Amino acid sequence: MIPRATVRLQFRREFTLVDALRRIDLFAALGISHIYASPLQKACEGSTYGYDIVDYTLINPELGGEAALKELVTTLRARGMGLILDIVPNHMAASYENLWWRSVLESGNSSPYADYFDIDWQSHDPVLHSKVLAPFLGQTYDEALSSGSLKLRVDAESGHFFIEYFTQRFPIALRDYSVILNSVDNPRCKRLAALFKDIGSSPLDARYAIEARRAVAWEIANGAAPVISKCIGEFSSLAAEGSARLHRLLERQHYRLAWWRSAAEEINWRRFFEISDLIGMRTDRNEVFAEQHALIFRLYAEGIIDGVRIDHIDGLPNPRVYCQRLREQFDALASHRSTLGLSTQPYIVVEKILAENELIAADWHVDGTTGYDFMDEVSSVLHDEAGAEELETLWRNTSGDEESFDETLRAARAQLLDEHFVAEFDAAIRILHRVARANIATREVGTGSLRRALRALLVCFPVYRLYGEKDGRQEGDLPSIQKALNDACGMLRKTDHAALELVDRWLGGDAPITAMNEFEVDLRLRAMTKFQQLTPPLAAKSLEDTVFYRYGRLLSRNEVGSNPQRLSRSPAEFHECCLRRQRHFPHSLLATASHDHKRGEDVRARLAVLSEIPQHWELAATRWHIRHAQLSRAEDGSMAPEPGDEYMLYQMLVGAWPATLNPHDADGLKTLAERLANWQQKALREAKRQTDWALPNTAYEERCQHFLWQILGLNGAFPDDPSAAEFVAEVATFVSRIECAGIINSLTQTLLRLTCPGIPDMYQGTDLWDYSLVDPDNRTPVDYDKRIGFEGAGMTCSMADRLLEQWRDGRIKQQIIAGALGLRKKLPRVFSHGHYQPLEVEGAHAQHVIAFARHDGAHWAIVCVTRLPAALLGDDNALPKVPPHVWTDTMVKLPSAIRALTLTDTLVHRGVPVTNGKLRLSDALTTLPVALLVVDMDSPY
């Protein structure tokens, strides 16, 4: 079932399925057709995001369980609505709560789930052979052992022995229960120990182990607790002998406990990015796919869900095969759906970052992406290319950064390879070396040359990943890999070019099936998969989580799915993006905010205004930097924040300043400062220059926070510090100067999201203004009390005038959403299957307008929105719209098929005249800065 519009909801303990049930009327009034839910399968206790799945077979009881889900869907169905579910096939939580993972830790590679996870059981490291690295200690293993932080414990209810490390648990292998129970000379313990002596790994032994553990629990409940506690006491690390005994016990386990920092270099299993709490899954194995998706398929067959969003599709071994299998399974359930009177067309979208001009292959059989590509397109068209050079010069002069953007990105990729993905990179080198050794012609190629060649290729890699398979690379991958190879050649000495050529061939340049034997075919496939699963986390962590915080020309362009190097798109380029989406993925999601965004959609819209007024921004930012020079400089001459960090802080202060914040409100300023301080710490650590997550430079971070507090007068002196009060007043004045232009940008991107080809997605809470920062700020619970009383579309001109005057409460945005989605409901084919036709704009301010038509047969909708509004607004303009007379002769040429003399603006139910087949902007944008017009809304559509 293709949605009309979705609302993304982040479920957690504080916002459950029952809470969502109480908000359905609001979503229905806004015109939403589907809730687009964050993962609902059972996650770690207290999970705030749901991606740390521990059980694929259950709907999370913390969220209300399956009963609450069915109640929610019953209510949705009664209103003609549905549910799309976010699923997480790539990884699970490496947690004791995860019974599959616990089984692996307990039984090693003899566990029935050993091959469910992407683990290298044949590690090159002898101490990890047939073991799993467990890098979960907050200190070195020696320190954890000697300090007594590692403690042997028993679960009295289940009979499980485990190692406790603060809140974490690690199971003891069944074979070692007898070791523990025999540590004390006691008949009851001896009898229990005998139960575990010969337990193996067969299914029969597994069932027997359950009974044996129950015997332990029974004995504890019936008087043996003191003696079993004595057994445990024999392994206390607080005594030298107990410490040695505990160490020997731990060395016998199927895992090797280690300091968390060791993961980067030693880990022998695939993580999600560099997060060692999440372990990669083998979705290419039939039994894994089946068990991961059994609940999903049942919920679809029963009509509980209408489709899925696939998280981190690029992490899977073969995204194409996975998506095809998913589609086939859904299609096989069509008969079950049809008996319920429900659509048999599943909606499938993938979370995928697309590079410039990159498309998902049609044979994936998905409906599109989750909308990061649109978020980039709509943001870039709101920026003024004329400001690019001045903003770049300002950044260079302010920060002192002389690296080009490409140099900054490559440096970040190199640093990530050298410090964060060492183990993954080494694993790729080892498999390539095995490929070399498998053929007599290449067996003398050494790891050194392979390492240099692969490193250069990875540093220069321009996209998230390739999608090569047994028969070689996909045609669409060729431009990307060729660019990477050309750039890598420039980095390498000529003596390494031959190694690079070999690496290219082995990673898909030559189809693996052309290898001499099946052994070599398998090696090449493994090498290709290893490479293709390494490039996505490297791309994400180097660009989004490093360069985004190092390069600060204009932070509104440092967003997920965007390339900060590109400041702007022209309307013509934006139209081409829309036409391409219409041709290939007309039902792709359109997003302007998400749970992963770096800045809220209205923060970006306001910061985009700076591209129109770079000189004014330069004067303000330079003045503030000079004013605070002494605050940032220490006696030793060091600076905190450094100039680049300080400049980015000013951008965030201007961008995130709440619409309702009074500069004299000390409590409001403190709330903003606390949010900015959290952002600042994350930004500094992600930049990995003065501080990072692995080894925080707390002195630098504290000085940066102190600087923030001082400039806002929140160090106890407010409001008596005249310098701080003056600065706060200047910031407020500067914000007031650009905020109306920012609001126009916000309303423009809102209407474009609702009317361009694709399915509009609204992130929770963004029906009102969204000045959120990076997570966790953008995942905080929504204040739904602010939305009480909203009844849906129905805005008149007088109401629009009033809402524009009161724009700070965000109701004008809410009404535009409801009005546009109301039209989508009334004209479903126009927006779901209709054509997209760019419209020509002429006149003095043609570059300040984006106009297009959506049409299906005789039904037409015309969209006109304001672009780059700052130049059109007067200095004293207090309303977020361009005064009608300013538009002068600017007009939109309508398609010849539209012969009406009057169009109807459905947002305000007002007639707009047509003159000689043209639409004057002074008529179309009289009431609002955006317009959505139809030929005759009284026609029986």
Side-chain angles (χ1 to χ4, degrees), residues 326-376:
L326 196 67
R327 175 73 69 176
E328 289 168 1
Q329 291 287 336
F330 278 136
D331 289 344
L333 299 170
S335 60
H336 296 273
R337 299 270 298 183
S338 60
T339 60
L340 299 172
L342 296 173
S343 169
T344 58
Q345 183 179 7
Y347 184 64
I348 304 174
V349 290
V350 297
E351 185 209 23
K352 165 70 179 156
I353 303 296
L354 296 171
E356 190 83 15
N357 298 319
E358 183 183 7
L359 277 175
I360 294 174
D363 63 359
W364 284 23
H365 302 313
V366 299
D367 292 292
T369 73
T370 53
Y372 296 140
D373 44 342
F374 178 79
M375 188 155 66
D376 169 55

Side-chain angles (χ1 to χ4, degrees), residues 680-741:
Q680 184 182 53
Q681 183 190 67
K682 180 166 185 171
L684 296 173
R685 291 185 178 183
E686 296 287 14
K688 305 173 187 68
R689 283 182 165 165
Q690 291 296 326
T691 183
D692 58 31
W693 295 105
L695 194 63
N697 181 346
T698 55
Y700 181 76
E701 292 176 3
E702 288 170 1
R703 285 178 60 192
C704 289
Q705 180 170 328
H706 183 64
F707 175 85
L708 171 61
W709 247 245
Q710 280 188 300
I711 65 174
L712 294 180
L714 297 173
N715 55 351
F718 187 90
D720 299 323
D721 182 342
S723 178
E726 185 177 351
F727 169 69
V728 169
E730 285 185 16
V731 172
T733 299
F734 188 88
V735 170
S736 68
R737 179 175 184 173
I738 67 172
E739 60 187 356
C740 283

Side-chain angles (χ1 to χ4, degrees), residues 141-428:
Y141 171 78
D142 177 61
E143 291 171 342
L145 185 67
S146 61
S147 67
S149 299
L150 295 173
K151 302 170 183 176
L152 180 63
R153 293 283 189 256
V154 66
D155 185 323
E157 294 184 2
S158 66
H160 282 80
F161 284 99
F162 60 91
I163 296 297
E164 178 184 84
Y165 180 73
F166 296 100
T167 60
Q168 298 186 76
R169 290 183 174 187
F170 305 96
I172 294 296
L174 287 167
R175 66 188 182 195
D176 290 319
Y177 279 41
S178 59
V179 174
I180 297 168
L181 293 166
N182 276 325
S183 64
V184 172
D185 188 12
N186 178 275
R188 298 178 77 171
C189 291
K190 297 289 185 184
R191 286 198 302 274
L192 289 174
L195 297 177
F196 295 95
K197 182 180 179 182
D198 298 316
I199 290 181
S201 58
S202 69
L204 182 62
D205 284 329
R207 289 193 293 272
Y208 178 72
I210 294 173
E211 296 302 320
R213 285 199 186 100
R214 285 176 180 167
V216 173
W218 188 91
E219 291 286 355
I220 291 174
N222 290 274
V227 69
I228 289 181
S229 293
K230 188 176 180 181
C231 290
I232 289 173
E234 294 296 307
F235 295 83
S236 172
S237 62
L238 296 179
E241 187 176 343
S243 180
R245 190 176 287 116
L246 179 60
H247 172 62
R248 288 195 297 272
L249 178 67
L250 287 170
E251 289 291 276
R252 287 172 50 84
Q253 302 311 302
H254 298 289
Y255 52 86
R256 183 178 179 85
L257 287 176
W259 191 21
W260 67 271
R261 290 184 189 171
S262 69
E265 298 188 6
E266 302 294 335
I267 201 161
N268 64 334
W269 44 273
R270 182 171 60 85
R271 302 172 289 173
F272 172 68
F273 290 7
E274 54 181 344
I275 303 173
S276 299
D277 293 330
L278 300 174
I279 182 169
M281 303 297 295
R282 290 288 308 277
T283 55
D284 54 322
R285 298 181 64 87
N286 291 336
E287 62 272 27
V288 178
F289 181 90
E291 293 201 46
Q292 282 184 313
H293 297 85
L295 174 63
I296 302 302
F297 293 140
R298 177 171 66 79
L299 294 178
Y300 180 74
E302 294 176 359
I304 305 301
I305 64 173
D306 298 301
V308 294
R309 177 258 200 196
I310 305 165
D311 181 64
H312 191 45
I313 190 71
D314 278 341
L316 306 185
N318 192 320
R320 180 186 66 85
V321 171
Y322 171 86
C323 290
Q324 288 177 348
R325 290 188 66 184
L326 196 67
R327 175 73 69 176
E328 289 168 1
Q329 291 287 336
F330 278 136
D331 289 344
L333 299 170
S335 60
H336 296 273
R337 299 270 298 183
S338 60
T339 60
L340 299 172
L342 296 173
S343 169
T344 58
Q345 183 179 7
Y347 184 64
I348 304 174
V349 290
V350 297
E351 185 209 23
K352 165 70 179 156
I353 303 296
L354 296 171
E356 190 83 15
N357 298 319
E358 183 183 7
L359 277 175
I360 294 174
D363 63 359
W364 284 23
H365 302 313
V366 299
D367 292 292
T369 73
T370 53
Y372 296 140
D373 44 342
F374 178 79
M375 188 155 66
D376 169 55
E377 294 158 8
V378 75
S379 174
S380 60
V381 80
L382 300 181
H383 286 70
D384 190 350
E385 185 63 26
E389 186 174 344
E390 291 181 70
L391 288 171
E392 182 72 16
T393 300
L394 175 58
W395 165 248
R396 298 298 176 196
N397 292 342
T398 301
S399 67
D401 190 346
E402 297 180 355
E403 285 185 332
S404 69
F405 180 84
D406 282 339
E407 289 171 337
T408 300
L409 179 56
R410 289 182 183 179
R413 293 177 76 95
Q415 181 180 350
L416 266 292
L417 281 174
D418 294 343
E419 299 177 8
H420 296 254
F421 293 109
V422 180
E424 291 85 351
F425 181 54
D426 286 347

Side-chain angles (χ1 to χ4, degrees), residues 491-556:
M491 288 182 61
L492 292 168
R493 297 176 302 168
K494 287 187 178 181
T495 52
D496 286 326
H497 287 187
L500 180 64
E501 183 181 343
L502 285 173
V503 167
D504 172 40
R505 287 170 47 197
W506 295 336
L507 295 180
D510 290 345
I513 55 173
T514 63
M516 296 182 64
N517 52 61
E518 283 301 315
F519 175 71
E520 192 174 349
V521 169
D522 179 65
L523 281 179
R524 288 197 191 182
L525 277 173
R526 288 169 58 190
M528 195 159 58
T529 300
K530 185 73 70 176
F531 176 77
Q532 292 177 169
Q533 288 182 303
L534 172 56
T535 57
L538 179 62
K541 295 302 293 184
S542 58
L543 179 62
E544 295 173 23
D545 292 341
T546 304
V547 175
F548 276 10
Y549 298 99
R550 289 184 180 181
Y551 176 76
R553 175 174 65 176
L554 192 56
L555 295 182
S556 47

Side-chain angles (χ1 to χ4, degrees), residues 546-791:
T546 304
V547 175
F548 276 10
Y549 298 99
R550 289 184 180 181
Y551 176 76
R553 175 174 65 176
L554 192 56
L555 295 182
S556 47
R557 294 297 294 135
N558 293 19
E559 191 50 80
V560 179
S562 297
N563 178 3
Q565 197 171 16
R566 178 168 191 167
L567 184 69
S568 176
R569 270 184 177 83
S570 68
E573 291 170 316
F574 177 77
H575 288 315
E576 182 52 43
C577 291
C578 292
L579 287 168
R580 186 172 62 167
R581 184 176 297 105
Q582 179 68 28
R583 287 192 300 269
H584 299 286
F585 292 101
H587 300 138
S588 187
L589 279 183
L590 307 179
T592 49
S594 79
H595 59 288
D596 281 330
H597 67 231
K598 307 300 182 185
R599 274 153 283 276
E601 61 183 34
D602 300 313
V603 176
R604 298 194 306 274
R606 184 188 289 169
L607 287 177
V609 180
L610 301 184
S611 69
E612 296 187 67
I613 56 167
Q615 301 95 337
H616 298 292
W617 169 241
E618 180 179 6
L619 286 173
T622 303
R623 183 170 63 250
W624 297 340
H625 177 64
I626 294 172
R627 177 198 299 276
H628 300 136
Q630 295 305 312
L631 296 180
S632 61
R633 189 177 299 276
E635 292 182 2
D636 61 3
S638 64
M639 302 186 73
E642 291 190 332
D645 295 331
E646 181 185 351
Y647 180 66
M648 287 191 274
L649 175 61
Y650 293 145
Q651 288 187 57
M652 292 303 293
L653 182 58
V654 167
W657 187 277
T660 56
L661 178 60
N662 185 310
H664 303 292
D665 178 2
D667 290 337
L669 275 176
K670 184 178 180 182
T671 298
L672 174 61
E674 289 171 345
R675 293 174 55 224
L676 284 170
N678 290 333
W679 163 83
Q680 184 182 53
Q681 183 190 67
K682 180 166 185 171
L684 296 173
R685 291 185 178 183
E686 296 287 14
K688 305 173 187 68
R689 283 182 165 165
Q690 291 296 326
T691 183
D692 58 31
W693 295 105
L695 194 63
N697 181 346
T698 55
Y700 181 76
E701 292 176 3
E702 288 170 1
R703 285 178 60 192
C704 289
Q705 180 170 328
H706 183 64
F707 175 85
L708 171 61
W709 247 245
Q710 280 188 300
I711 65 174
L712 294 180
L714 297 173
N715 55 351
F718 187 90
D720 299 323
D721 182 342
S723 178
E726 185 177 351
F727 169 69
V728 169
E730 285 185 16
V731 172
T733 299
F734 188 88
V735 170
S736 68
R737 179 175 184 173
I738 67 172
E739 60 187 356
C740 283
I743 293 303
I744 293 174
N745 282 341
S746 292
L747 299 181
T748 288
Q749 74 176 355
T750 296
L751 189 59
L752 291 176
R753 171 168 52 87
L754 300 171
T755 56
C756 285
I759 307 300
D761 171 48
M762 183 184 77
Y763 184 62
Q764 61 177 23
T766 60
D767 52 320
L768 301 182
W769 305 130
D770 172 27
Y771 294 103
S772 63
L773 307 177
V774 72
D775 64 279
D777 192 62
N778 61 7
R779 301 180 188 182
T780 54
V782 177
D783 183 357
Y784 284 104
D785 289 343
K786 284 185 178 180
R787 294 151 175 83
I788 292 175
F790 178 74
E791 298 178 355

Side-chain angles (χ1 to χ4, degrees), residues 61-131:
E62 280 194 344
L63 304 180
E66 192 167 328
L69 176 61
K70 290 181 175 179
E71 184 180 2
L72 173 66
V73 173
T74 298
T75 306
L76 287 171
R77 297 291 184 214
R79 287 164 173 74
M81 300 168 70
L83 181 72
I84 307 298
L85 181 60
D86 194 346
I87 62 173
V88 193
N90 177 67
H91 56 265
M92 291 186 83
S95 165
Y96 190 81
E97 297 175 64
N98 182 349
L99 296 182
W100 293 358
W101 174 246
R102 190 194 303 181
S103 171
V104 168
L105 294 186
E106 185 177 81
S107 302
N109 56 8
S110 63
S111 164
Y113 304 105
D115 292 328
Y116 278 43
F117 301 105
D118 200 348
I119 300 169
D120 180 9
W121 290 106
Q122 306 300 321
S123 174
H124 72 291
D125 185 347
V127 300
L128 287 177
H129 188 74
S130 299
K131 286 193 175 191

